[in-house]
Amino acid sequence: MTDDKKNPEMETASSTEISQNKRKNTLPNFLISVKLKYVKLGYHYLISHAMYLFLTPFLFLVSAQLSTLTLKDLEELWEHLQYNLVTVVLCSTLLVFLATAYFMTRPRAVYLVNFSLYKPSDDRKCTREIFVERSRLTGTFTEENLGFQKKILERSGLGQSTYLPEAVMTVPPNPCMAEARKEAEMVMFGAVDQLLEKTGINPKEIGILVVNCSLFNPTPSLSAMIVNHYKLRGNIRSYNLGGMGCSAGLISIDLAKQLLQVHPNSYALVVSMENITLNWYFGNNRSMLVSNCLFRMGGAAILLSNRRSDRRRSKYQLIHTVRTHKGSDDRAFNCVFQEEDDKGKVGVSLSKDLMAVAGEALKTNITTLGPLVLPMSEQLLFFVTLVARKAFKMKIKPYIPDFKLAFEHFCIHAGGRAVLDELEKNLDLSDWHMEPSRMTLYRFGNTSSSSLWYELSYSESKGRVRKGDRMWQIAFGSGFKCNSAVWRALRTIDPAKEKNPWMDEINEFPVHVPKVATIAT
């Protein structure tokens, strides 16, 4: 046998030996990770139930002491109280006063009665191939920038069934005020009609209206269009939010929450959407072309209530809202900016600093949110690590709290694949936690402020939402802003009773989303 020939038996034995060595090296690491996981769970359980563990012996001692009391002891206690009638009355009055003050000053509970989503008709569907073809037929983009848009779209995470308005996809395009109003009415009225049908309330009962649309602000306003269409009452408190980016939906929720604190027995209607028609970019500045590839039609209508009688029929209760604004930093302020290019064509420019700015805003937001939602076990670990690094100058990594111990469901704004990848890594989330956001981006694209509601609706349609579950909605927007809302499910959601854009096709999801979806042109 020559040296350059290999013996198959020796090769097999060698490969077997290598695989055994790999098992020896990997198995202990796996076992260590499993052990650490259970150690952490045990620590979390111990700290979370420390109060009960501490009070149990005390309760036993109190019970033992009470069991020794006789009827004579109780009679003596009663006689003692009779001689101190003034003290008893004063103490009782004080307790009643304090209890009344507590119940009068505590925040009113805010309930999410129901919400609905707009699903455009099938003739508005835009495949990746149609997008590239129509972009070419407009004749406004250079070949290099057509290739750039194709490359962005292939890596965007968007599927073949997203929606665009007619005015943008016709050849030639027809972006005008009339078409923009037509799109706005179609989205807003479509979502609100479904919501009124679901809840069965009379439009005259709505006392608060908040509408948000970042880039389309006609006169009369979008909120006035809703008031006119549904003939809402004359003393309605109406607000129209513009220019606040993709996180404006949560800003609207926070504003409605604040208004519901001072207006008892009220309903608040929140409508979140974006308008594509007048905000399609027909230039060749690449920083402005990215939004063309990501943004799609969509909208949501949400009904909030502070009536105690609505708790039983409501889906969720609003627990916290946390808003973070980094606008004082010039880099953050300029990273998403609507302006004219060198040819005078208006578009939204996305800076290369966007991901870094978003990371800083997220860090600030979760630093505020963490103490409100994280269990004591995670807060303690974070505090100990912080003290070790700052006070004792120990070279250890900053401890990133495990938000999976605080929430069962995560609704992360489907702004783009890069944003979702970054948050999945930073928050150490699983594919299951990211599934609603990724599937929403794939099926509907970036629908701006309404994307969070498509994601929550996905979890409902999958039958994942159980009574007591906690949801974290988090969104980013121009300015630069990062906003959060925390909800608690008041009942288990039965998918069979739901009517939303997912239900006709939910069994097809989740789907595999390739890193690069090649477009044949």
Side-chain angles (χ1 to χ4, degrees):
M1 184 185 296
T2 58
D3 292 339
D4 58 341
K5 292 182 178 179
K6 295 181 180 178
N7 187 332
E9 293 182 1
M10 292 179 64
E11 186 177 2
T12 303
S14 176
S15 62
T16 304
E17 185 178 346
I18 291 171
S19 64
Q20 288 176 349
N21 289 334
K22 284 184 177 179
R23 287 195 193 100
K24 288 179 181 178
N25 292 331
T26 58
L27 189 59
N29 292 335
F30 171 74
L31 291 175
I32 289 172
S33 64
V34 170
K35 288 180 179 178
L36 288 174
K37 176 183 176 182
Y38 283 106
V39 166
K40 185 173 181 180
L41 287 175
Y43 160 76
H44 169 66
Y45 183 85
L46 179 65
I47 297 299
S48 299
H49 297 82
M51 183 62 70
Y52 300 106
L53 296 174
F54 173 77
L55 289 177
T56 300
F58 177 74
L59 290 175
F60 276 117
L61 290 174
V62 172
S63 300
Q65 184 65 30
L66 290 175
S67 65
T68 62
L69 291 176
T70 64
L71 187 60
K72 185 178 180 180
D73 293 330
L74 294 175
E75 290 176 352
E76 290 179 357
L77 179 62
W78 174 249
E79 290 177 0
H80 179 71
L81 289 175
Q82 283 181 318
Y83 288 117
N84 292 273
L85 183 60
V86 175
T87 304
V88 173
V89 171
L90 288 175
C91 290
S92 301
T93 303
L94 179 62
L95 287 174
V96 170
F97 173 78
L98 292 175
T100 303
Y102 169 75
F103 285 108
M104 292 293 290
T105 57
R106 71 173 182 171
R108 300 178 191 275
V110 175
Y111 306 111
L112 191 158
V113 180
N114 215 323
F115 67 97
S116 62
L117 304 166
Y118 176 68
K119 185 177 184 179
S121 57
D122 287 344
D123 61 341
R124 299 272 56 82
K125 282 186 178 179
C126 177
T127 65
R128 292 185 288 266
E129 288 75 18
I130 290 177
F131 179 92
V132 174
E133 177 195 358
R134 298 295 170 83
S135 295
R136 178 175 284 110
L137 290 175
T138 60
T140 60
F141 305 110
T142 64
E143 283 298 321
E144 292 79 6
N145 281 331
L146 284 170
F148 172 76
Q149 291 183 79
K150 177 183 174 184
K151 183 177 179 181
I152 292 294
L153 198 60
E154 288 176 334
R155 293 160 174 78
S156 65
L158 272 69
Q160 296 285 65
S161 299
T162 59
Y163 302 94
L164 282 173
E166 181 181 1
V168 170
M169 299 313 294
T170 55
V171 179
N174 183 31
C176 61
M177 178 63 75
E179 288 294 327
R181 284 184 177 275
K182 180 180 176 182
E183 179 194 348
E185 291 174 353
M186 192 184 306
V187 174
M188 292 191 306
F189 300 162
V192 175
D193 284 346
Q194 291 181 38
L195 181 63
L196 295 177
E197 181 183 348
K198 283 182 179 181
T199 58
I201 72 162
N202 188 322
K204 296 287 186 182
E205 296 181 74
I206 298 172
I208 298 167
L209 172 64
V210 183
V211 181
N212 68 267
C213 181
S214 188
L215 296 175
F216 180 54
N217 293 286
T219 300
S221 66
L222 296 174
S223 60
M225 289 165 63
I226 292 178
V227 172
N228 175 262
H229 182 80
Y230 293 98
K231 308 305 177 187
L232 303 183
R233 65 197 201 194
N235 64 344
I236 190 169
R237 293 161 182 86
S238 173
Y239 298 85
N240 196 93
L241 307 183
M244 304 196 79
C246 299
S247 68
L250 295 186
I251 296 175
S252 297
I253 294 293
D254 181 66
L255 175 58
K257 168 191 167 184
Q258 302 301 330
L259 292 168
L260 287 170
Q261 296 304 308
V262 295
H263 299 289
N265 201 35
S266 296
Y267 284 116
L269 173 62
V270 175
V271 179
S272 295
M273 60 164 290
E274 192 51 82
N275 191 283
I276 306 295
T277 299
L278 279 182
N279 298 290
W280 200 257
Y281 176 61
F282 291 99
N284 285 283
N285 185 323
R286 290 194 174 185
S287 67
M288 296 180 177
L289 284 171
V290 176
S291 59
N292 283 9
C293 302
L294 298 178
F295 282 90
R296 297 293 185 268
M297 284 180 73
I302 305 99
L303 184 67
L304 302 177
S305 172
N306 58 12
R307 302 182 180 187
R308 294 186 182 275
S309 58
D310 282 322
R311 178 184 174 89
R312 188 170 297 178
R313 69 166 181 152
S314 296
K315 284 186 171 182
Y316 306 99
Q317 181 176 347
L318 183 59
I319 307 301
H320 300 293
T321 53
V322 175
R323 294 171 56 180
T324 301
H325 204 306
K326 307 292 287 186
S328 59
D329 178 13
D330 290 342
R331 187 177 64 138
F333 177 76
N334 292 309
C335 71
V336 180
F337 206 89
Q338 186 181 29
E339 58 186 345
E340 295 176 332
D341 65 10
D342 54 358
K343 302 294 183 182
K345 295 181 178 179
V346 177
V348 177
S349 173
L350 304 180
S351 166
K352 293 179 180 179
D353 295 328
L354 180 59
M355 292 305 299
V357 168
E360 293 170 5
L362 173 66
K363 181 180 177 181
T364 304
N365 190 269
I366 64 177
T367 300
T368 306
L369 180 68
L372 301 175
V373 298
L374 285 170
M376 187 56 65
S377 58
E378 290 298 294
Q379 295 190 48
L380 186 60
L381 283 174
F382 178 80
F383 177 75
V384 170
T385 306
L386 183 66
V387 171
R389 293 179 67 245
K390 299 296 184 180
F392 298 99
K393 306 298 181 183
M394 296 176 65
K395 294 182 179 180
I396 55 176
K397 292 182 179 179
Y399 181 72
I400 300 176
D402 186 359
F403 280 90
K404 296 188 293 295
L405 296 173
F407 304 107
E408 284 75 33
H409 307 280
F410 295 79
C411 298
I412 301 168
H413 168 52
R417 174 175 245 153
V419 175
L420 298 181
D421 289 345
E422 195 68 21
L423 264 73
E424 179 180 9
K425 181 179 70 174
N426 289 340
L427 296 175
D428 192 25
L429 301 178
S430 66
D431 291 340
W432 188 88
H433 291 115
M434 296 299 298
E435 186 180 312
S437 299
R438 293 196 185 280
M439 292 305 101
T440 295
L441 181 64
Y442 178 85
R443 177 61 182 85
F444 294 97
N446 180 352
T447 60
S448 190
S449 57
S450 64
S451 69
L452 300 173
W453 301 103
Y454 286 90
E455 294 163 17
L456 182 54
S457 181
Y458 179 90
S459 296
E460 291 183 349
S461 302
K462 279 292 185 181
R464 297 179 177 181
V465 179
R466 306 293 180 188
K467 183 178 180 179
D469 282 1
R470 297 155 298 178
M471 295 82 183
W472 182 16
Q473 291 181 323
I474 183 165
F476 303 90
S478 58
F480 190 85
K481 298 178 285 294
C482 177
N483 301 316
S484 292
V486 178
W487 305 87
R488 180 184 293 119
L490 297 176
R491 55 184 169 90
T492 298
I493 306 300
D494 182 1
K497 298 180 180 179
E498 288 302 302
K499 183 179 179 182
N500 61 55
W502 293 102
M503 289 310 300
D504 294 339
E505 50 191 289
I506 192 63
N507 293 329
E508 302 172 13
F509 292 92
V511 299
H512 171 67
V513 182
K515 292 291 183 183
V516 179
T518 305
I519 300 174
T521 55

